[in-house]
Amino acid sequence: MTAAPLPLIDQLTARRPRIPVTFVLIALNLAVFAAMLAGGAGLWHSQNGVQLAWGANFGPATKDGQWWRLGSAMFLHFGLLHLGMNMASLFDGGRLVERMFGPLRFAAIYVLSGLTGNLLSLIAQGDRAVSGGASGAIFGVYGALLAFLWQQRDTLERREFVRLFWGAGLFAAITIVLGLNIPGIDNGAHIGGFIAGLLAGAALVRPLDADTLLGRYRQPLASHGQWLAGSALVALIAVLIIAIPAPRYRWSEEVMARGEISDFIGQDRQLVRRWQTLIGDAQRTGASFDELAGRIESEIAAPYQQGFDDLSELQLSPSAPSAPTLSALRQYAEARRDASRALVDGLRAHDMAAVRDALEAASRAGSAPPSPLPTRPAPPRNR
């Protein structure tokens, strides 16, 4: 007569009481959030600029050589509620799954799931969103839980299997459905992490017996199913890497453009004030036309020419957020340069009509358009 199996949770808790990786992961997420708060992040919401600075996943930046963002984004959260929900899910599922697979295999499942989820996010988001959060990796934990339960279904008490298996499955399904209907959720990371966790769990699962749970199990060869699951996971990652589209624009070029735009706008304010000062001083002191023309040429026209040249040298995709501002600034710098040159020519020719026309042209050029806000390159995506 076969003895009834002990409840799974009792077996795992008794034979592998420690769950170091789960606690370390939670501690890392909390530490990063605390550091971000100290660095200016908001308690309930953080601007995209803060998330980008700390390593959020963002297509134009990640695909511009900053591939480390695929890993760093797993430890970033956009607010306390986002962090709390993810850490509660990690604690609830992680302490069970780590006991099922052991610390090293659990860590591998977590990291592989998070990275795979971020890869799919790069494809699904299409360079439109800044994303961060641990839930892609956490979905992988729940996927591994399902893989373990299915593999061990014959050794588990039926009611316990049904409760755990369908509970984990419903959690994943409901969350993904909500992500399809609620803006601001990175469902690509959820789905990618979940599938990777299923496959990694199926590849790394071990028999549920005393030797395994006590850490004495040594499996000489993986089963056919494990090899198949592992191969499928490798193939999935390879396909995702190949399918990553080229960025619509490169973040390094966008950052450089914003720096040049900011520098030009600051210089333009000084040049506008200098223009007014030169005209006023000439009227008060009775400076000659030739003297005023020389000062305007060197102090106004030349800087605008240099600003126009610098802006024209920037290589920026039309899809970049700063592209419209850059184009408008080029036209503005060209108009101010041409007006100042016409003023110089009119002064040297002692042609008051040309001088008036040049001043009117400078007035029509207006003021420089504002620089784009560096903190909002794209809407945030929590996960």
Side-chain angles (χ1 to χ4, degrees):
M1 181 175 182
T2 304
L6 290 174
L8 174 63
I9 295 177
D10 290 346
Q11 295 183 61
L12 294 173
T13 303
R15 295 171 178 173
R16 193 187 291 276
R18 298 177 63 251
I19 46 173
V21 175
T22 299
F23 286 137
V24 168
L25 290 172
I26 292 174
L28 282 174
N29 280 278
L30 294 176
V32 170
F33 187 74
M36 291 177 65
L37 288 178
L43 180 63
W44 299 106
H45 176 72
S46 294
Q47 295 292 334
N48 283 346
V50 176
Q51 296 292 331
L52 280 171
W54 281 85
N57 191 24
F58 180 49
T62 305
K63 291 182 282 188
D64 195 21
Q66 299 179 11
W67 296 104
W68 49 268
R69 291 179 179 273
L70 294 174
S72 59
M74 294 161 53
F75 298 93
L76 304 183
H77 292 85
F78 286 78
L80 185 61
L81 180 60
H82 184 204
L83 173 71
M85 293 177 63
N86 275 349
M87 292 306 97
S89 298
L90 176 56
F91 179 74
D92 189 45
R95 56 181 177 169
L96 184 59
V97 175
E98 183 173 353
R99 289 177 175 127
M100 290 174 172
F101 288 87
L104 293 180
R105 295 183 181 218
F106 172 72
I109 290 169
Y110 188 91
V111 172
L112 283 172
S113 299
L115 293 176
T116 305
N118 284 341
L119 283 173
L120 183 56
S121 176
L122 281 182
I123 299 171
Q125 298 301 333
D127 298 345
R128 294 185 301 270
V130 175
S131 67
S135 59
I138 293 170
F139 263 74
V141 170
Y142 281 87
L145 171 61
L146 290 176
F148 180 93
L149 292 172
W150 183 257
Q151 196 271 348
Q152 298 294 327
R153 63 190 183 279
D154 293 334
T155 66
L156 301 177
E157 197 273 331
R158 179 173 177 77
R159 284 186 300 176
E160 184 180 35
F161 168 79
V162 170
R163 177 174 62 84
L164 290 173
F165 186 86
W166 290 109
L170 285 174
F171 165 81
I174 291 173
T175 306
I176 290 174
V177 170
L178 289 175
L180 293 173
N181 294 278
I182 299 177
I185 295 179
D186 188 356
N187 236 4
H190 290 172
I191 295 171
F194 182 72
I195 295 173
L198 273 173
L199 295 175
L204 297 175
V205 69
R206 298 178 296 179
L208 182 61
D209 56 33
D211 286 340
T212 297
L213 295 173
L214 288 172
R216 295 194 294 261
Y217 177 74
R218 295 293 184 269
Q219 183 171 340
L221 292 174
S223 68
H224 177 74
Q226 289 177 298
W227 278 110
L228 186 60
S231 299
L233 178 59
V234 172
L236 171 64
I237 294 174
V239 168
L240 291 178
I241 291 174
I242 294 172
I244 293 175
R248 293 186 300 125
Y249 63 93
R250 297 192 177 279
W251 184 241
S252 58
E253 295 175 355
E254 169 67 14
V255 170
M256 182 180 295
R258 291 185 180 194
E260 291 287 345
I261 288 171
S262 179
D263 290 345
F264 176 83
I265 290 174
Q267 182 187 45
D268 176 67
R269 295 192 185 102
Q270 297 177 2
L271 291 176
V272 169
R273 289 193 296 266
R274 188 59 181 158
W275 184 313
Q276 296 170 347
T277 299
L278 288 175
I279 299 296
D281 289 347
Q283 291 174 343
R284 286 193 302 271
T285 62
S288 68
F289 281 8
D290 288 340
E291 180 182 356
L292 178 59
R295 299 192 66 180
I296 290 176
E297 184 175 35
S298 62
E299 299 180 35
I300 304 298
Y304 272 122
Q305 176 65 56
Q306 184 62 51
F308 174 77
D309 291 342
D310 291 342
L311 293 173
S312 297
E313 290 175 359
L314 290 174
Q315 300 297 320
L316 194 61
S317 168
S319 301
S322 292
T325 301
L326 181 61
S327 177
L329 279 181
R330 286 170 178 162
Q331 296 177 19
Y332 170 80
E334 184 178 25
R336 298 288 291 189
R337 179 204 63 189
D338 293 345
S340 59
R341 285 178 173 175
L343 178 59
V344 169
D345 293 341
L347 288 170
R348 285 177 173 161
H350 295 251
D351 185 344
M352 295 308 298
V355 169
R356 286 192 297 270
D357 289 342
L359 292 174
E360 290 176 2
S363 177
R364 288 195 300 271
S367 58
S371 175
L373 294 176
T375 57
R376 297 301 299 272
R381 293 287 177 179
N382 301 335
R383 47 181 177 75

Coordinates of all heavy atoms in Angstrom, one line a residue, residues 191-253:
I191 N 5.0 38.5 -21.2 CA 4.8 37.3 -22.0 C 6.2 36.6 -22.3 O 6.3 35.4 -22.2 CB 4.1 37.6 -23.4 CG1 2.7 38.1 -23.1 CG2 4.1 36.4 -24.3 CD1 1.9 38.7 -24.3
G192 N 7.2 37.4 -22.7 CA 8.5 36.9 -22.9 C 9.1 36.2 -21.7 O 9.6 35.1 -21.8
G193 N 8.9 36.8 -20.6 CA 9.4 36.2 -19.3 C 8.7 35.0 -19.0 O 9.3 34.0 -18.5
F194 N 7.4 34.9 -19.2 CA 6.6 33.8 -18.8 C 7.0 32.6 -19.7 O 7.2 31.5 -19.2 CB 5.1 34.1 -19.0 CG 4.2 32.9 -18.6 CD1 4.1 32.6 -17.2 CD2 3.5 32.2 -19.5 CE1 3.2 31.5 -16.9 CE2 2.7 31.2 -19.2 CZ 2.5 30.8 -17.8
I195 N 7.1 32.8 -21.0 CA 7.5 31.7 -21.9 C 8.9 31.2 -21.5 O 9.2 30.0 -21.5 CB 7.4 32.1 -23.3 CG1 5.9 32.4 -23.7 CG2 7.9 31.1 -24.3 CD1 5.7 33.0 -25.1
A196 N 9.8 32.1 -21.3 CA 11.2 31.7 -21.0 C 11.2 30.9 -19.7 O 12.0 30.0 -19.5 CB 12.1 33.0 -20.9
G197 N 10.4 31.3 -18.7 CA 10.3 30.6 -17.4 C 9.8 29.2 -17.6 O 10.3 28.3 -17.0
L198 N 8.8 29.1 -18.4 CA 8.2 27.7 -18.7 C 9.3 26.8 -19.3 O 9.5 25.7 -18.8 CB 7.1 27.8 -19.7 CG 5.7 28.1 -19.1 CD1 4.7 28.3 -20.3 CD2 5.2 26.9 -18.3
L199 N 10.0 27.3 -20.3 CA 11.0 26.5 -20.9 C 12.2 26.3 -20.0 O 12.7 25.1 -20.0 CB 11.5 27.2 -22.2 CG 10.4 27.3 -23.3 CD1 10.9 28.1 -24.5 CD2 9.9 26.0 -23.8
A200 N 12.6 27.3 -19.3 CA 13.8 27.1 -18.4 C 13.4 26.1 -17.3 O 14.2 25.3 -16.9 CB 14.2 28.4 -17.9
G201 N 12.2 26.3 -16.8 CA 11.8 25.4 -15.7 C 11.7 23.9 -16.2 O 12.1 23.0 -15.5
A202 N 11.2 23.7 -17.4 CA 11.1 22.4 -18.0 C 12.5 21.8 -18.2 O 12.7 20.6 -18.1 CB 10.3 22.4 -19.3
A203 N 13.4 22.7 -18.5 CA 14.8 22.2 -18.8 C 15.6 21.9 -17.5 O 16.4 21.0 -17.5 CB 15.6 23.2 -19.6
L204 N 15.3 22.6 -16.5 CA 16.0 22.5 -15.2 C 15.3 21.7 -14.1 O 15.9 21.6 -13.0 CB 16.4 23.9 -14.7 CG 17.3 24.7 -15.6 CD1 17.4 26.1 -15.0 CD2 18.6 24.1 -15.8
V205 N 14.1 21.2 -14.4 CA 13.4 20.5 -13.3 C 14.1 19.3 -12.9 O 14.8 18.6 -13.7 CB 12.0 20.2 -13.8 CG1 12.0 19.1 -14.9 CG2 11.0 19.8 -12.7
R206 N 14.0 18.9 -11.6 CA 14.6 17.7 -11.0 C 13.5 16.9 -10.3 O 12.5 17.5 -9.8 CB 15.7 18.2 -10.0 CG 16.8 18.9 -10.7 CD 17.9 19.4 -9.7 NE 17.3 20.3 -8.7 CZ 18.0 20.8 -7.7 NH1 19.3 20.4 -7.6 NH2 17.5 21.6 -6.9
P207 N 13.7 15.6 -10.1 CA 12.8 14.8 -9.4 C 12.5 15.3 -8.0 O 13.4 15.8 -7.3 CB 13.4 13.4 -9.4 CG 14.4 13.4 -10.5 CD 14.9 14.9 -10.6
L208 N 11.3 15.1 -7.6 CA 10.9 15.5 -6.2 C 11.1 14.3 -5.3 O 10.3 13.5 -5.1 CB 9.4 15.9 -6.2 CG 8.8 16.4 -4.9 CD1 9.6 17.6 -4.4 CD2 7.4 16.7 -5.0
D209 N 12.4 14.2 -4.8 CA 12.7 13.2 -3.8 C 13.6 13.8 -2.7 O 14.1 14.9 -2.8 CB 13.3 12.0 -4.5 CG 14.6 12.3 -5.3 OD1 15.3 13.2 -4.9 OD2 14.8 11.7 -6.3
A210 N 13.9 13.0 -1.7 CA 14.6 13.5 -0.6 C 16.0 13.9 -1.0 O 16.5 15.0 -0.6 CB 14.7 12.4 0.5
D211 N 16.7 13.1 -1.8 CA 18.1 13.4 -2.2 C 18.2 14.8 -2.9 O 19.0 15.6 -2.7 CB 18.7 12.3 -3.0 CG 19.0 11.1 -2.2 OD1 19.2 11.2 -1.0 OD2 19.2 10.0 -2.8
T212 N 17.2 14.9 -3.8 CA 17.2 16.2 -4.6 C 17.0 17.4 -3.7 O 17.7 18.4 -3.8 CB 16.1 16.1 -5.7 OG1 16.3 15.1 -6.6 CG2 16.0 17.5 -6.4
L213 N 16.0 17.3 -2.8 CA 15.7 18.5 -2.0 C 16.7 18.8 -1.0 O 16.9 19.9 -0.5 CB 14.3 18.2 -1.3 CG 13.1 18.2 -2.3 CD1 11.9 17.7 -1.5 CD2 12.9 19.5 -2.9
L214 N 17.5 17.8 -0.6 CA 18.6 18.0 0.4 C 19.9 18.4 -0.3 O 20.9 18.6 0.3 CB 18.8 16.7 1.2 CG 17.7 16.3 2.2 CD1 18.0 15.0 2.8 CD2 17.7 17.4 3.3
G215 N 19.8 18.4 -1.7 CA 21.0 18.9 -2.4 C 22.0 17.8 -2.8 O 23.1 18.1 -3.2
R216 N 21.6 16.5 -2.6 CA 22.5 15.5 -2.9 C 22.3 14.8 -4.3 O 23.0 13.9 -4.7 CB 22.4 14.3 -1.8 CG 22.8 14.8 -0.4 CD 22.9 13.6 0.5 NE 21.7 12.9 0.7 CZ 20.9 13.0 1.8 NH1 21.3 13.9 2.7 NH2 19.8 12.4 1.9
Y217 N 21.3 15.3 -5.0 CA 21.0 14.7 -6.3 C 22.0 15.2 -7.3 O 22.3 16.3 -7.5 CB 19.6 15.1 -6.7 CG 19.2 14.6 -8.0 CD1 18.8 13.3 -8.2 CD2 19.1 15.5 -9.1 CE1 18.5 12.8 -9.5 CE2 18.8 15.0 -10.4 CZ 18.4 13.6 -10.5 OH 18.1 13.2 -11.8
R218 N 22.4 14.2 -8.1 CA 23.3 14.5 -9.3 C 22.7 13.8 -10.5 O 22.7 12.6 -10.6 CB 24.7 14.0 -9.0 CG 25.5 14.7 -7.9 CD 25.7 16.2 -8.2 NE 26.5 16.8 -7.1 CZ 25.9 17.5 -6.1 NH1 24.5 17.5 -6.0 NH2 26.6 18.1 -5.2
Q219 N 22.3 14.6 -11.4 CA 21.6 14.0 -12.6 C 22.7 13.9 -13.7 O 23.2 14.9 -14.2 CB 20.5 15.0 -13.1 CG 19.7 14.4 -14.2 CD 18.5 15.2 -14.5 OE1 18.0 16.0 -13.7 NE2 18.0 15.1 -15.7
P220 N 23.0 12.7 -14.1 CA 24.1 12.5 -15.1 C 23.7 13.1 -16.5 O 24.5 13.7 -17.1 CB 24.3 11.0 -15.1 CG 23.0 10.4 -14.6 CD 22.5 11.4 -13.7
L221 N 22.5 12.8 -16.9 CA 22.1 13.2 -18.2 C 20.7 13.8 -18.1 O 19.8 13.3 -17.4 CB 22.1 12.0 -19.2 CG 23.5 11.5 -19.6 CD1 23.4 10.2 -20.4 CD2 24.4 12.5 -20.3
A222 N 20.5 14.8 -18.9 CA 19.1 15.4 -19.0 C 18.2 14.5 -19.8 O 18.7 13.8 -20.7 CB 19.2 16.8 -19.6
S223 N 17.0 14.5 -19.5 CA 16.0 13.7 -20.2 C 15.8 14.3 -21.6 O 16.2 15.5 -21.9 CB 14.7 13.6 -19.4 OG 14.1 14.9 -19.4
H224 N 15.1 13.6 -22.4 CA 14.8 14.1 -23.8 C 13.9 15.3 -23.7 O 14.2 16.3 -24.4 CB 14.0 13.0 -24.5 CG 13.6 13.4 -25.9 ND1 14.5 13.6 -27.0 CD2 12.4 13.8 -26.4 CE1 13.8 14.0 -28.0 NE2 12.5 14.1 -27.7
G225 N 13.0 15.3 -22.8 CA 12.1 16.5 -22.6 C 12.9 17.7 -22.2 O 12.6 18.9 -22.6
Q226 N 13.9 17.5 -21.3 CA 14.7 18.6 -20.8 C 15.6 19.2 -21.9 O 15.7 20.4 -22.1 CB 15.5 18.2 -19.6 CG 14.7 18.0 -18.3 CD 15.6 17.5 -17.2 OE1 16.2 16.4 -17.3 NE2 15.7 18.2 -16.1
W227 N 16.2 18.3 -22.7 CA 16.9 18.8 -23.9 C 16.1 19.6 -24.8 O 16.5 20.6 -25.4 CB 17.6 17.6 -24.6 CG 18.8 17.1 -23.9 CD1 19.0 15.9 -23.3 CD2 20.1 17.8 -23.9 NE1 20.3 15.8 -22.8 CE2 21.0 17.0 -23.2 CE3 20.5 19.0 -24.4 CZ2 22.3 17.3 -23.0 CZ3 21.9 19.4 -24.2 CH2 22.7 18.6 -23.5
L228 N 14.9 19.1 -25.1 CA 14.0 19.7 -26.0 C 13.6 21.1 -25.5 O 13.6 22.1 -26.2 CB 12.7 18.9 -26.2 CG 11.7 19.4 -27.2 CD1 12.4 19.4 -28.6 CD2 10.5 18.5 -27.3
A229 N 13.3 21.2 -24.2 CA 12.9 22.5 -23.6 C 14.1 23.5 -23.6 O 13.9 24.7 -23.9 CB 12.4 22.3 -22.2
G230 N 15.3 23.0 -23.3 CA 16.5 23.8 -23.3 C 16.8 24.3 -24.7 O 17.1 25.5 -24.9
S231 N 16.6 23.4 -25.7 CA 16.9 23.8 -27.1 C 15.8 24.9 -27.5 O 16.2 25.8 -28.3 CB 16.8 22.6 -28.0 OG 17.8 21.7 -27.6
A232 N 14.6 24.7 -27.1 CA 13.5 25.6 -27.5 C 13.8 27.0 -26.9 O 13.6 28.1 -27.5 CB 12.2 25.1 -27.0
L233 N 14.3 27.0 -25.7 CA 14.7 28.3 -25.0 C 15.8 29.0 -25.8 O 15.7 30.2 -26.0 CB 15.1 28.1 -23.6 CG 15.5 29.3 -22.8 CD1 14.4 30.4 -22.8 CD2 15.9 29.0 -21.3
V234 N 16.8 28.3 -26.1 CA 17.9 28.8 -26.9 C 17.5 29.4 -28.2 O 17.8 30.5 -28.7 CB 19.1 27.8 -27.1 CG1 20.1 28.3 -28.0 CG2 19.7 27.4 -25.7
A235 N 16.6 28.6 -28.9 CA 16.1 29.0 -30.2 C 15.2 30.3 -30.0 O 15.3 31.2 -30.9 CB 15.2 27.9 -30.8
L236 N 14.4 30.3 -29.0 CA 13.6 31.5 -28.7 C 14.4 32.8 -28.6 O 14.2 33.8 -29.2 CB 12.7 31.3 -27.5 CG 11.9 32.5 -27.0 CD1 10.9 33.0 -28.0 CD2 11.3 32.2 -25.6
I237 N 15.5 32.7 -27.7 CA 16.3 33.8 -27.5 C 17.0 34.2 -28.8 O 17.1 35.4 -29.1 CB 17.4 33.5 -26.4 CG1 16.7 33.3 -25.1 CG2 18.4 34.6 -26.3 CD1 17.6 32.8 -24.0
A238 N 17.5 33.2 -29.6 CA 18.1 33.5 -30.9 C 17.2 34.2 -31.8 O 17.6 35.2 -32.5 CB 18.7 32.3 -31.5
V239 N 15.9 33.8 -31.9 CA 15.0 34.4 -32.8 C 14.7 35.8 -32.4 O 14.6 36.7 -33.2 CB 13.7 33.5 -32.8 CG1 12.5 34.3 -33.5 CG2 13.9 32.2 -33.5
L240 N 14.5 36.0 -31.1 CA 14.3 37.4 -30.6 C 15.4 38.3 -30.9 O 15.2 39.5 -31.3 CB 14.0 37.4 -29.1 CG 12.7 36.7 -28.6 CD1 12.6 36.7 -27.1 CD2 11.5 37.4 -29.2
I241 N 16.6 37.8 -30.7 CA 17.8 38.7 -31.0 C 17.8 39.1 -32.5 O 18.0 40.2 -32.9 CB 19.1 38.0 -30.6 CG1 19.2 37.8 -29.1 CG2 20.3 38.7 -31.2 CD1 20.4 37.0 -28.6
I242 N 17.5 38.1 -33.4 CA 17.5 38.3 -34.8 C 16.4 39.3 -35.2 O 16.5 40.1 -36.1 CB 17.4 37.0 -35.6 CG1 18.7 36.2 -35.3 CG2 17.2 37.3 -37.1 CD1 18.6 34.8 -35.9
A243 N 15.3 39.2 -34.5 CA 14.1 40.0 -34.8 C 14.1 41.4 -34.3 O 13.2 42.2 -34.6 CB 12.8 39.2 -34.3
I244 N 15.1 41.7 -33.4 CA 15.1 43.1 -32.9 C 15.3 44.1 -34.1 O 16.2 44.0 -34.8 CB 16.3 43.3 -31.9 CG1 16.0 42.4 -30.7 CG2 16.4 44.7 -31.5 CD1 17.2 42.4 -29.7
P245 N 14.3 45.0 -34.2 CA 14.4 45.9 -35.4 C 15.5 47.0 -35.1 O 15.8 47.3 -33.9 CB 13.0 46.6 -35.4 CG 12.5 46.5 -34.0 CD 13.1 45.2 -33.4
A246 N 16.0 47.6 -36.2 CA 16.9 48.7 -36.0 C 16.2 49.9 -35.3 O 15.0 50.1 -35.5 CB 17.4 49.1 -37.4
P247 N 16.9 50.6 -34.5 CA 16.3 51.8 -33.8 C 15.8 52.8 -34.8 O 16.5 53.1 -35.8 CB 17.3 52.3 -32.9 CG 18.6 51.8 -33.5 CD 18.3 50.5 -34.2
R248 N 14.7 53.5 -34.5 CA 14.2 54.6 -35.4 C 15.2 55.8 -35.3 O 15.3 56.5 -36.2 CB 12.8 55.0 -35.0 CG 11.8 54.0 -35.3 CD 10.4 54.5 -35.0 NE 10.3 54.9 -33.6 CZ 9.9 56.1 -33.2 NH1 9.6 57.0 -34.1 NH2 9.8 56.4 -31.9
Y249 N 15.9 55.9 -34.2 CA 16.9 56.9 -34.0 C 17.8 56.4 -32.9 O 17.5 55.5 -32.1 CB 16.3 58.3 -33.7 CG 15.6 58.3 -32.4 CD1 16.2 58.7 -31.2 CD2 14.2 58.0 -32.3 CE1 15.5 58.8 -30.0 CE2 13.5 58.1 -31.1 CZ 14.2 58.5 -30.0 OH 13.5 58.5 -28.8
R250 N 19.0 56.9 -32.8 CA 20.0 56.5 -31.8 C 20.0 57.5 -30.7 O 20.1 58.7 -30.9 CB 21.4 56.4 -32.5 CG 21.4 55.3 -33.5 CD 22.9 55.0 -33.9 NE 22.9 53.9 -34.9 CZ 22.8 52.6 -34.6 NH1 22.7 52.3 -33.3 NH2 22.8 51.7 -35.6
W251 N 19.9 57.0 -29.5 CA 19.8 57.8 -28.3 C 21.1 58.7 -28.1 O 21.0 59.8 -27.7 CB 19.6 57.0 -27.1 CG 19.4 57.8 -25.8 CD1 20.1 57.7 -24.7 CD2 18.3 58.7 -25.6 NE1 19.6 58.6 -23.8 CE2 18.5 59.2 -24.3 CE3 17.2 59.1 -26.4 CZ2 17.6 60.1 -23.7 CZ3 16.3 60.1 -25.8 CH2 16.5 60.5 -24.5
S252 N 22.3 58.2 -28.5 CA 23.5 59.0 -28.3 C 23.4 60.2 -29.2 O 23.9 61.3 -28.8 CB 24.7 58.1 -28.7 OG 24.6 57.6 -30.0
E253 N 22.9 60.1 -30.4 CA 22.7 61.2 -31.3 C 21.7 62.2 -30.8 O 21.9 63.4 -30.9 CB 22.4 60.7 -32.7 CG 23.5 59.9 -33.4 CD 23.0 59.4 -34.7 OE1 21.8 59.5 -35.1 OE2 23.9 58.7 -35.4

